[in-house]
Amino acid sequence: MEVAGPEEDETEQPAPGFNMEEAEAEFAIAPATETAEQHAIPESIQDEAYVGTNRQFLCEPAPPPLRSAAKAAAAIAAAPSARKGETYTDTKRRDDVRGANIASSRGVADAVRTSLGPRGMDKMISSGDQEAIITNDGATILSRMSLLQPAARMLAELSRSQDAAAGDGTTTVVVIAGALLRRAQSLLAAGAHHTAAADSLHRLAARAVEVLEGMAIPIELTDRDSLVKSASTALNSKVVSQYSGLLAPLAVDAALSVVDPAHPELLDLRDIRIIKNLGGTVDDTELVHALIFDKKASHAAGGPSRIENAKIAVIQFQISPPKTDIEQSVIVSDYAQMDRILREERNYVLGMVKKIKASGCNVLLIQKSILRDAVTELSLHYLAKAKILVVKDVERDEIEFITKTLNCLPIANIEHFREDKLGYADVVEEVSAGDGNIVKITGIRDMGRTATVLVRGSSQLVIDEADRSLHDALCVIRCLVNKRFLIAGGGAPEIEMSMQLAAWSKELHGMENYCIKEFADALEVIPYTLAENAGLNPIAIVTEPRNRHAKGEKNAGINVRKGQITNILEGNVVQPLLVSTSAILLACECVRMILKIDDIVTVR
């Protein structure tokens, strides 16, 4: 039988020969004490930079000595994570806004990119009221698009600005802007600052204009062939390109006929009036040295439809009984009073007609009125009895063109109706044209420097597109009148600019070198797109002219019709210098503005 002994002591006993008192004395930890001497800055390191850099370390009291690893970890976690002056700024929203702006703008550029060049595709624009437009004009396409994003609307305004400045190149300027934005996006993703990219674009635009001016060929307005070639180049990319042989000489003749020799550098396109008449084909379009109204003469009460030795008056008053200035009702209860009112109205109108007839006038052009009827059945009856031909409802914005053509003055009051304010012509007649009649005034004496183009077509869509194409051709002639230099087309200027700007970027340093090199490569989007839209191999087509430009052939470009690289000047593919310079400057300015936007603020 076992007897339980006393419980054994579980405390770990020291090994034999180990002196516990000596070990405690050797590893004793002194209590934490804080004195001023411990926190004093040593004289050897009282340097301003050292103190400023280590201000937090020097000013905070030293922590007490740590007795374990757990306490050390807790103290490290509780310590401040950053020193003073070190702050974190979240730039994600700015980058997202800038990225959204670039993406939406590139989407607009890609939408019209397929319309560039002679082999570009057309767009059918359908509106809510069942109206359809077929065109490949960049300004027309973008003006009809409903764009919600503000940056995308900037590209539509860019195309409108190019249309106002040069008239042509409205698709080119948007495509260039889209390519520059694509390169800018890659630069920003690589770490470039948006301000550096915007400043590089400013320098690049100025240098690109110098390159274009070095390629320019001076011309004179007497060189009609060069003017026709440039107008044909503008028309070759339109829907009515097959009629460029007719429309180009017509546009040149119309423009040169209105240029004033006293001011040969000015060409006002408002002096060229385009009348659209449905019927026939575009081949029937003609330049008329006469005045045409796309409406028929008034035939009330058997009025005349042909007048020889015409004396023409343009009036801006109403040949009708007057009305009160305020809205009121007049109640007539007696037949005698009613007869008196009608008699007074007849006498009033008859008195006006007698004054018109006394001046010798036999053709009357009446401006449309919004106050009351410009003419009534009664006044038309008296004018027909007086053998006066009447054309009514003349638009207000046509008055200036009409008076300049007829070399007469508009008459605003019957009391000012005098013979010296009349215009003179040999014949005024109503003739049949298309599906209706028009009034034609020929043999105008002392005719002003104006021109009228009668555009014909088989459908309203064709007529509208012919009108837009003719306007672009006229704008090209206006560019050459303002700045008399031509350059080659077919992507040759863009390739030359790209190569010279890339060589110039090697002379620069820092971020400008990378930015300008990227933007210079972006200019090759024009020849690339021309080849792509023509069904050619874009990489091979762009590489060959680059090689030929390196050998000094500045005018080597893409001949879309032959599908090969030729001297574009020999192929008569030329364009005004002003079109290319305006496109580069406006595109760079628009891209710079988009790059500098870092937030969108919505206000009510």
Side-chain angles (χ1 to χ4, degrees):
M1 182 176 180
E2 294 182 357
V3 180
E7 186 177 355
E8 295 181 357
D9 189 6
E10 296 180 356
T11 305
E12 183 179 355
Q13 298 296 326
F18 180 81
N19 191 341
M20 180 65 71
E21 293 180 357
E22 292 180 0
E24 289 180 352
E26 182 178 355
F27 293 101
I29 300 176
T33 58
E34 298 180 1
T35 62
E37 289 77 14
Q38 290 178 343
H39 295 289
I41 302 174
E43 295 182 0
S44 61
I45 59 173
Q46 283 186 352
D47 182 76
E48 183 179 355
Y50 179 89
V51 174
T53 307
N54 300 274
R55 190 178 304 277
Q56 182 180 4
F57 171 76
L58 296 175
C59 297
E60 293 181 357
L66 303 180
R67 298 179 182 272
S68 67
K71 289 184 178 181
I76 291 174
S81 59
R83 298 177 178 178
K84 290 183 179 180
E86 296 181 1
T87 57
Y88 172 71
T89 304
D90 186 9
T91 60
K92 187 176 185 303
R93 173 174 171 77
R94 299 177 184 176
D95 296 340
D96 290 345
V97 168
R98 191 173 289 113
N101 289 340
I102 294 176
S104 59
S105 302
R106 287 181 57 191
V108 172
D110 292 339
V112 298
R113 182 180 169 187
T114 55
S115 300
L116 183 69
R119 301 294 173 86
M121 298 292 103
D122 302 329
K123 308 292 184 187
M124 175 176 281
I125 305 170
S126 179
S127 59
D129 55 356
Q130 305 300 320
E131 180 188 3
I133 297 176
I134 300 176
T135 182
N136 61 0
D137 182 63
T140 305
I141 295 170
L142 293 176
S143 64
R144 299 279 181 165
M145 291 174 66
S146 298
L147 301 172
L148 301 179
Q149 221 276 349
R153 289 200 297 268
M154 289 175 63
L155 257 70
E157 295 172 1
L158 170 67
S159 180
R160 197 177 304 119
S161 299
Q162 175 72 6
D163 191 27
D168 195 19
T170 52
T171 306
T172 301
V173 67
V174 176
V175 173
I176 291 177
L180 292 175
L181 285 170
R182 178 174 175 271
R183 297 290 179 153
Q185 193 171 26
S186 64
L187 284 171
L188 296 179
H193 197 271
H194 57 275
T195 303
D199 293 342
S200 300
L201 268 177
H202 181 66
R203 294 193 62 184
L204 177 136
R207 184 76 175 199
V209 171
E210 295 178 5
V211 175
L212 290 174
E213 291 176 348
M215 298 178 60
I217 304 170
I219 65 163
E220 295 294 334
L221 293 183
T222 55
D223 187 3
R224 185 175 180 274
D225 291 340
S226 296
L227 299 179
V228 172
K229 291 175 185 177
S230 59
S232 298
T233 303
L235 292 170
N236 282 336
S237 61
K238 306 299 180 185
V239 176
V240 293
S241 59
Q242 65 268 28
Y243 302 105
S244 60
L246 167 69
L247 297 180
L250 189 146
V252 172
D253 293 338
L256 294 181
S257 65
V258 301
V259 175
D260 189 357
H263 302 283
E265 72 283 353
L266 297 178
L267 173 59
D268 191 354
L269 294 184
R270 291 176 296 181
D271 293 337
I272 302 174
R273 188 175 178 221
I274 299 177
I275 302 294
K276 295 183 286 187
N277 185 261
L278 184 62
T281 63
V282 180
D283 285 323
D284 299 325
T285 301
E286 59 179 336
L287 174 63
V288 182
H289 293 285
L291 186 60
I292 294 178
F293 295 93
D294 56 343
K295 53 178 67 70
K296 58 185 180 181
S298 176
H299 294 293
S305 60
R306 176 184 171 89
I307 297 291
E308 295 182 357
N309 297 323
K311 296 181 180 180
I312 308 166
V314 180
I315 65 172
Q316 296 178 304
F317 58 88
Q318 298 84 24
I319 309 178
S320 59
K323 291 184 178 181
T324 56
D325 293 336
I326 58 177
E327 188 69 27
Q328 63 181 9
S329 300
V330 178
I331 300 176
V332 180
S333 58
D334 188 2
Y335 285 106
Q337 294 177 355
M338 187 179 299
D339 291 340
R340 182 183 175 186
I341 291 174
L342 294 176
R343 187 169 58 253
E344 290 294 333
E345 288 183 353
R346 285 197 301 269
N347 292 337
Y348 179 81
V349 173
L350 185 58
M352 297 179 73
V353 173
K354 286 181 178 179
K355 288 183 180 180
I356 293 173
K357 186 64 177 178
S359 67
C361 172
N362 53 15
V363 176
L364 206 57
L365 308 179
I366 305 176
Q367 178 181 315
K368 183 186 292 186
S369 174
I370 60 174
L371 298 177
R372 65 178 192 269
D373 293 336
V375 287
T376 61
E377 293 296 328
L378 180 63
S379 58
L380 288 175
H381 169 76
Y382 285 133
L383 289 170
K385 292 295 183 183
K387 302 299 180 183
I388 297 176
L389 188 148
V390 178
V391 178
K392 60 181 182 179
D393 294 338
V394 177
E395 296 294 339
R396 182 183 183 88
D397 54 359
E398 297 178 356
I399 295 296
E400 182 180 357
F401 178 86
I402 294 170
T403 54
K404 185 174 182 179
T405 303
L406 295 174
N407 196 19
C408 65
L409 295 175
I411 303 172
N413 193 290
I414 187 62
E415 302 299 331
H416 302 154
F417 209 106
R418 298 191 302 271
E419 188 177 359
D420 59 346
K421 293 189 176 183
L422 304 180
Y424 300 89
D426 293 339
V427 179
V428 178
E429 59 181 342
E430 181 179 346
V431 296
S432 176
D435 60 347
N437 293 344
I438 61 174
V439 176
K440 191 173 184 180
I441 303 177
T442 57
I444 302 172
R445 189 188 307 174
D446 299 328
M447 181 177 175
R449 290 190 173 276
T450 59
T452 302
V453 179
L454 182 62
V455 177
R456 307 288 297 278
S458 57
S459 67
Q460 196 62 41
L461 294 177
V462 174
I463 292 176
D464 292 339
E465 183 60 20
D467 179 20
R468 286 187 290 267
S469 303
L470 194 58
H471 175 267
D472 284 356
L474 291 171
C475 289
V476 166
I477 306 302
R478 183 185 63 182
C479 290
L480 293 174
V481 171
N482 295 337
K483 198 169 186 178
R484 301 179 184 181
F485 289 92
L486 282 174
I487 59 173
E494 288 77 16
I495 293 177
E496 183 68 19
M497 282 191 295
S498 176
M499 295 190 63
Q500 291 204 26
L501 291 172
W504 175 57
S505 67
K506 297 178 181 178
E507 303 174 4
L508 304 176
H509 303 284
M511 187 58 65
E512 275 191 341
N513 179 5
Y514 296 101
C515 293
I516 290 181
K517 179 65 172 65
E518 284 288 315
F519 291 139
D521 293 341
L523 297 178
E524 291 186 353
V525 69
I526 298 299
Y528 187 93
T529 305
L530 288 175
E532 192 176 40
N533 291 344
L536 306 174
N537 184 352
I539 297 178
I541 288 293
V542 173
T543 303
E544 184 180 348
R546 191 186 303 165
N547 182 31
R548 295 178 63 171
H549 277 254
K551 296 178 181 178
E553 300 181 28
K554 291 185 177 181
N555 297 319
I558 303 173
N559 192 323
V560 175
R561 293 179 178 176
K562 296 182 179 179
Q564 58 187 5
I565 307 303
T566 62
N567 189 328
I568 289 298
L569 289 181
E570 296 177 357
N572 298 328
V573 181
V574 291
Q575 63 186 15
L577 172 64
L578 186 60
V579 172
S580 296
T581 56
S582 175
I584 289 294
L585 292 174
L586 292 177
C588 290
E589 182 179 359
C590 180
V591 172
R592 289 181 63 210
M593 191 176 298
I594 293 176
L595 288 179
K596 289 191 174 183
I597 297 173
D598 68 346
D599 202 354
I600 298 177
V601 180
T602 305
V603 297
R604 292 183 178 180

